Amino acid sequence: MLAAVGSLTGAAVAQHGTSLAFQRAEHLRHGINLSGWYAQTRDFSPQRMDSYTTVADFQKIKSLGFDHVRLSIDPEPLIADPQLGSLKIDGIARLDKTVKQLTDAGLNVVLDIHPEESWKAQLLQGDDAVERFCAFWSTFAGHYAALDPEKIFFELMNEPTMADLYRWQGIQARAVARIRAVAPQHTVIATASMYSGIDNLLAMEPVRDENVIYTFHDYNPMWFTHQGATWGSQGWVFVRGVPYPSTPENVQAVLGQEQDERERIWLQRYGWERWDAARVGAEVSTMYEWAQKRGVPLYCGEFGVYKAYADPKMRTTWISDMRTALEAKHIGWAMWDYQGNFGIVTKGSNGTVVDQAVANALGLKK
């Protein structure tokens, strides 16, 4: 399936490809993740859903210069019958309203299926769970098939967790085929197993469908971007003041915070690896080379820095380095996230306050 790429210059077409997926990737240049709303929460009450993120937020996002949002959606609250993939009327009606409000605000929308870990784990347990996953996608994609495919994108699953990358590739290919049967024009966003990481994407091959964009998440180096985080590595929880860029010398000050010898050596390696703009750029270049060899477009669906303990200036330096590296390879992106603990805004009694330093690091207009 090919289409003219009216939004690309001749040089960009030559460099980045001419398939419909490349054309659609141009609609996902600068994005932000809407987290903690339709996913990452147990409170789906009407009161919270109506107030947590609003039309005013959509207008703010657009005014900052973003062209799209990646909307995290936990599928479980939407599903009426798992075997059939049927949807709850009230739940899908609310999501329909949100999608319309977003597109009315001039934002394109990635519908990111973002389940809980227990929901993902079911896919390891035989074929029944896989069929339920595909049945959901058949119904969900069919429901949105009438919406403009230039504005609405289907992301199969956020950060699949299974270690067996070949099993995930088979599941993903099966789901893409089911989507294509009901939504032949819409672009699908696919990914690798093990949390959409770089290593596993390099090990996978594209599905047999030209209208697919491939996504990865990049928070490297995790010792900096996740310092103080209470999930993931136990070592992150206790460290504070991890520097960026890193050198063997400047990590010495934080080594004393980590008593576990294994964690200490990992933190030392962070210093030895000398993470800086060049190192970030080298990793992004590796992803770009993978995509160029296979003739497919890339999208970085998540990157960001947990802001509770990171030095603000170092945080914005890393964000700028990552954004610059992605844009140097013409890779669209969505920062994590809008108002969460990686956020670009803070919402409170003073209203919605934009972190202008982060906006500047993202290259957004003032």
Side-chain angles (χ1 to χ4, degrees), residues 298-311:
L298 279 180
Y299 169 68
C300 182
E302 289 186 22
F303 70 99
V305 180
Y306 182 57
K307 62 185 181 181
Y309 302 106
D311 177 271

Side-chain angles (χ1 to χ4, degrees), residues 347-352:
K347 297 176 73 172
S349 58
N350 294 326
T352 301

Side-chain angles (χ1 to χ4, degrees), residues 23-69:
Q23 177 185 349
R24 295 276 174 75
E26 290 302 297
H27 302 318
L28 304 177
R29 305 309 311 161
H30 311 124
I32 195 73
N33 278 271
L34 295 183
S35 64
W37 187 22
Y38 278 89
Q40 302 103 12
T41 181
R42 298 190 182 280
D43 184 359
F44 294 101
S45 66
Q47 294 79 8
R48 183 179 186 276
M49 296 298 291
D50 288 341
S51 61
Y52 187 76
T53 311
T54 68
V55 171
D57 291 305
F58 307 157
Q59 294 167 345
K60 174 73 72 177
I61 289 166
K62 182 65 176 178
S63 71
L64 283 168
F66 292 107
D67 58 24
H68 75 280
V69 299

